[in-house]
């Protein structure tokens, strides 16, 4: 993973961690269900953002590297990994 991606994802994950702690407090304080659900949806969106960034980095670095290598086995392996992750993504 490239350093800029690593740093950006780390920053995002720290914010998400704070959001999760906030939801735990909301539950403990018996806050209104819709408010809790709204915050959970925000965390889902934030995690999708991190997922998209890691996926983009993987394609631009790992998959492109396999293509550039000319190694057919490595190319197929990287494409299969990508397909496996993408088919599980929306489950």
């Amino acid at each position: 993973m490239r350093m800029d991606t690593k740093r950006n994802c780390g920053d995002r994950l720290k914010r998400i961690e704070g959001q999760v702690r906030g939801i735990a407090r909301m539950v403990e304080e018996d806050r209104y269900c819709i408010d809790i659900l709204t915050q959970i949806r925000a965390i889902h969106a934030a995690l999708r953002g991190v997922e998209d960034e890691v996926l983009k980095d993987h394609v631009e670095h790992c998959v492109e590297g396999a293509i550039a290598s000319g190694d057919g086995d490595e190319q197929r392996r990287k494409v299969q990994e990508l397909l496996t992750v993408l088919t599980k993504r929306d489950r």
Side-chain angles (χ1 to χ4, degrees), residues 34-71:
I34 295 299
D35 293 341
I36 295 169
L37 291 169
T38 299
Q39 291 307 308
I40 291 170
R41 297 301 305 159
I43 289 172
H44 278 277
L47 283 171
R48 277 191 304 276
V50 173
E51 179 182 20
D52 289 346
E53 188 157 344
V54 172
L55 179 61
K56 180 178 183 279
D57 185 86
H58 178 70
V59 169
E60 291 175 351
H61 181 256
C62 301
V63 176
E64 283 184 12
I67 292 168
S69 76
D71 181 341

Side-chain angles (χ1 to χ4, degrees), residues 69-87:
S69 76
D71 181 341
D73 289 337
E74 183 67 10
Q75 292 168 353
R76 282 186 286 284
R77 195 170 21 261
K78 293 299 178 191
V79 169
Q80 186 56 51
E81 288 173 350
L82 193 55
L83 290 173
T84 298
V85 166
L86 291 174
T87 57

Side-chain angles (χ1 to χ4, degrees), residues 1-10 53-54 57:
M1 185 178 293
R2 292 181 303 216
M3 286 304 290
D4 60 327
T5 302
K6 193 175 191 177
R7 187 176 358 354
N8 191 15
C9 287
E53 188 157 344
V54 172
D57 185 86

